Amino acid sequence: METVILAVVIAVVVLGVLGGLVVGSRRKKSLPPPPPAAPDITAPPAEPHVGDEAETPRDEPRRTIEEVDLPDGSAPPATVELPPTEIEVPEPTAGRLVRLRTRLSRSQNALGKGLLTLLSREHLDDDTWEEIEDILLTADVGVAPTQELVDGLRARVKVLGTRTPDELRALLREELLKLVGTEADRTVRTEPDERKPGIVMVVGVNGTGKTTTTGKLARVLVADGRSVVLGAADTFRAAAADQLQTWGERVGAHTVRGPEGGDPASVAFDAVKEGKEMGVDVVLIDTAGRLHTKTGLMDELGKVKRVVEKHAPLDEVLLVLDATTGQNGLVQARVFAEVVDITGIVLTKLDGTAKGGIVVAVQRELGVPVKLIGLGEGADDLAPFEPEAFVDALIGD
């Protein structure tokens, strides 16, 4: 027992000595120097925040709401004046087709050159005349006009005998002019007797360039000194009214339009009404494109015509045909002619892959003349049709 007590006492003494040594060593270690005092820097003034005053507010007299003069509503609100749209001056239409002859002949020379090459052969046998017929049929001249032309050429060549290139060219020119026709009245009727305005309705299937043609026709009329109102009666195609209005603004023509999907007959009626009130020379009505196989749409086109005629008779109904569609265009022409009494044809895209013979075929089919032709995408590429200039472009120089 005494041994145990002694061991405990020794252990306590040892632990006390070790603790003293540890404490002493810690005291001998130098403490880290205190951090330097922060320099005394004056803080910059705070940036103003949104809503803060830029300077110390001054005491100023303030008015109550009763002392402030408020507008009584009698004065018109201030309006911001926009710069006026620059009005373009279209080039004169006289001789326009002659100026565009190069563009026309670029795609039509195959017909004239092919015929002249065959007619220049020393011996014109039956095979040669069949080749001539094939060229004419391929050019969309049509069966009956082709036979008529070939018969005339055979008779003239037999009488002529020896043929020089100049004589052949003159011969072919005369026979083609007979087919195209030089006696028809090709003016777009826009000046009715004893009343204004002249009323022109433009019809056709989708994709023929009908709205563009209406805008270009407005340029043609303005170039000839006429004032124009445009009726955007194509209410089914979202961009049609905007497109037509843009064409009108370029030449200073007012555009009458209605809500998208609205009644086209109502828009046409309003266009004629405003045209009469404004005293303009011509009202051009652009109608919605019609699939000629859709009876309901064609009936609605007839309704537009009847509603317009409550103001005055239509002076012109122009059918726009895509010249590249060839014989299919003739099918369209027949149906439209039955519904709205076509008075003239506008052939567009005649500068592309179109065959020049479609001019002859469509006139024979409808019994109405081609009055305008489109020869490109330019604003002034719509030209009054001139038979002599057209035939000269077909046979080349």
Side-chain angles (χ1 to χ4, degrees), residues 129 149-161 171 175:
W129 288 111
L149 178 59
V150 169
D151 291 345
L153 287 172
R154 294 186 77 158
R156 296 284 298 277
V157 168
K158 186 179 294 186
V159 173
L160 187 62
L171 174 64
E175 294 300 322

Side-chain angles (χ1 to χ4, degrees), residues 19-76:
L21 291 175
V22 171
V23 172
S25 64
R26 288 182 178 175
R27 288 178 179 174
K28 291 180 180 178
K29 290 183 180 179
S30 60
L31 296 174
D40 188 11
I41 300 176
T42 303
E47 293 290 332
H49 300 286
V50 176
D52 291 347
E53 296 287 347
E55 60 180 352
T56 304
R58 298 187 296 269
D59 291 334
E60 294 181 351
R62 299 179 180 273
R63 294 183 296 171
T64 64
I65 189 65
E66 290 80 7
E67 297 172 332
V68 177
D69 293 330
L70 298 176
D72 58 3
S74 58

Side-chain angles (χ1 to χ4, degrees), residues 69 103 199 274 393:
D69 293 330
R103 185 174 300 166
I199 307 172
E274 290 195 30

Side-chain angles (χ1 to χ4, degrees), residues 339-362:
V339 176
V340 287
D341 299 324
I342 303 300
T343 60
I345 305 295
V346 182
L347 282 176
T348 62
K349 308 178 187 179
L350 200 57
D351 62 326
T353 59
K355 319 296 195 308
I358 190 64
V359 172
V360 176
V362 73

Side-chain angles (χ1 to χ4, degrees), residues 232-257:
D234 184 354
T235 59
F236 300 121
R237 188 164 61 91
D242 292 337
Q243 182 183 357
L244 190 65
Q245 184 167 351
T246 299
W247 278 104
E249 289 173 349
R250 290 177 180 175
V251 294
H254 174 61
T255 301
V256 177
R257 53 189 298 177

Side-chain angles (χ1 to χ4, degrees), residues 173-289:
R173 185 178 188 275
E174 289 178 16
E175 294 300 322
L176 285 173
L177 277 175
K178 286 182 183 178
L179 278 187
V180 174
T182 57
E183 303 298 325
D185 180 10
R186 300 181 186 276
T187 58
V188 179
R189 295 193 297 270
T190 57
E191 297 182 79
D193 296 334
E194 299 180 355
R195 68 173 173 85
K196 276 189 179 184
I199 307 172
V200 179
M201 189 164 74
V202 183
V203 302
V205 302
N206 290 313
T208 58
K210 180 175 48 55
T211 298
T212 299
T213 296
T214 306
K216 290 182 179 181
L217 178 55
R219 293 180 66 89
V220 169
L221 294 170
V222 170
D224 290 340
R226 314 284 177 79
S227 54
V228 178
V229 161
L230 296 171
D234 184 354
T235 59
F236 300 121
R237 188 164 61 91
D242 292 337
Q243 182 183 357
L244 190 65
Q245 184 167 351
T246 299
W247 278 104
E249 289 173 349
R250 290 177 180 175
V251 294
H254 174 61
T255 301
V256 177
R257 53 189 298 177
E260 184 178 339
D263 182 14
S266 176
V267 176
F269 183 86
D270 290 342
V272 177
K273 179 182 177 182
E274 290 195 30
K276 293 174 70 174
E277 293 172 351
M278 296 171 65
V280 300
D281 297 314
V282 187
V283 174
L284 294 179
I285 301 172
D286 175 36
T287 60

